[in-house]
Amino acid sequence: MHLGATLRLLRVDAGLSLRDLARRIGVSSAYLSRVEHGVDAPPTQERLTAIARELDVPPALLMDVANRVSPYVAGYLEDVPAAGTLLLDIARRKLTGAQLARVRAFLDAEFPLREARGDEPVPALGSLLCAERVVVRLSCEDYEDALDVVAGRLASALPGLDASALAQGLRQREGDAPSQVGSGVAVPHAFVPGASPVAALVTLARPLKTNAPDGQPLRLVVALVDGHMGRARLMRLAHVARLAGRGLADRLQGAGEPQQVLETLEELEALR
């Protein structure tokens, strides 16, 4: 996983320059540039929280991408040490995503939240997909070919939108800031005014050598189209980066048909 690539992706989509974001969080632009390029270690929890505030995304989401424990969780474990034992017990049992979803359902029924959480939930990626927009084990020569395929699938869900024009839009966005977030995953995306959020997903038959920030070859392309700029759009991008860090490309590698992809994704998203 490469946190810096995700931060750069979100910063560009938020319309902030490197200098602007650095000034707002009280660091030098040189430092922030080193973080985005993976030269410096991930920022502290406090700085990640400040970055999340300026990007207008939930801090917990960036904590997940950075594989850092949320201050809320850390504080709770300090106040209730027994909670750590329970987490260890869950880890020892190696509960699957589906099993954790059952545990969560029990908690919601027996111990409902008395007040709203500070961080709103991110809409599941699976809710933006359908079997017709999932391509399994695509054979292609380069990333450009993969972009053409996802553009075609996305255009089929957006009446009146030309697939070639959408592919060109995806390529132009790649020029602003590459969408590869590491762990073999790329998140090309485009803004189409008025369009409802929609996604397409492609697994690759053979990994492609690209200029990925962590050096890993590309194995999975998750393409997004959104008709509105702002918080929800950035949250979706960060959520895909979070899934990438949780092994999304590895988990989908063995899927032989679109329905398998959707089922595996649903299980992985149950861990949110």
Side-chain angles (χ1 to χ4, degrees):
M1 189 58 217
H2 195 287
L3 171 67
T6 299
L7 291 180
R8 182 186 179 197
L9 191 69
L10 297 177
R11 174 179 61 75
V12 172
D13 264 77
L16 290 173
S17 70
L18 185 73
R19 180 173 298 179
D20 283 342
L21 181 56
R23 176 180 53 78
R24 293 186 185 192
I25 65 173
V27 300
S28 70
S29 55
Y31 163 76
L32 189 56
S33 177
R34 291 195 301 271
V35 169
E36 289 189 351
H37 287 87
V39 177
D40 279 13
T44 62
Q45 291 180 346
E46 292 75 13
R47 278 185 178 158
L48 278 176
T49 299
I51 291 172
R53 182 179 63 248
E54 296 303 328
L55 295 176
D56 193 24
V57 297
L61 193 51
L62 284 191
M63 296 292 177
D64 280 350
V65 175
N67 290 320
R68 288 193 183 277
V69 176
S70 165
Y72 180 85
V73 174
Y76 177 69
L77 291 175
E78 184 175 338
D79 294 339
V80 188
T85 303
L86 179 59
L87 290 175
L88 180 59
D89 195 30
I90 290 174
R92 285 173 173 167
R93 294 171 190 267
K94 297 182 178 179
L95 298 187
T96 65
Q99 290 168 331
L100 285 173
R102 290 171 57 191
V103 173
R104 176 174 291 174
F106 170 78
L107 291 174
D108 288 340
E110 294 294 321
F111 309 102
L113 290 170
R114 299 303 178 187
E115 56 185 23
R117 295 178 181 176
D119 292 327
E120 65 203 74
V122 182
L125 174 61
S127 68
L128 305 180
L129 288 166
C130 64
E132 291 72 27
R133 293 196 299 278
V134 174
V135 180
V136 177
R137 297 176 183 171
L138 174 71
S139 294
C140 59
E141 295 299 321
D142 54 36
Y143 185 37
E144 298 279 322
D145 292 340
L147 290 179
D148 287 336
V149 171
V150 293
R153 297 304 171 103
L154 289 169
S156 68
L158 300 168
L161 185 62
D162 179 68
S164 60
L166 179 56
Q168 183 60 28
L170 293 173
R171 292 189 181 93
Q172 288 178 350
R173 180 58 187 77
E174 290 289 311
D176 295 334
S179 67
Q180 296 183 62
V181 293
S183 300
V185 179
V187 198
H189 52 286
F191 171 66
V192 177
S196 297
V198 65
L201 184 151
V202 170
T203 66
L204 301 179
R206 296 184 304 277
L208 294 176
K209 290 184 178 180
T210 60
N211 294 322
D214 58 357
Q216 290 195 34
L218 183 63
R219 292 175 289 154
L220 175 67
V221 178
V222 180
L224 300 170
V225 164
D226 204 329
H228 302 280
M229 305 293 282
R231 180 180 178 83
R233 172 186 171 94
L234 295 178
M235 287 171 63
R236 276 189 282 272
L237 291 172
H239 175 54
V240 176
R242 169 170 62 183
L243 292 175
R246 292 180 177 176
L248 181 61
D250 291 333
R251 293 286 298 274
L252 298 183
Q253 197 70 31
E257 57 184 36
Q259 192 57 40
Q260 259 187 294
V261 168
L262 296 175
E263 291 171 358
T264 302
L265 181 59
E266 180 181 7
E267 180 175 322
L268 188 57
E269 289 197 298
L271 299 175
R272 291 186 300 162

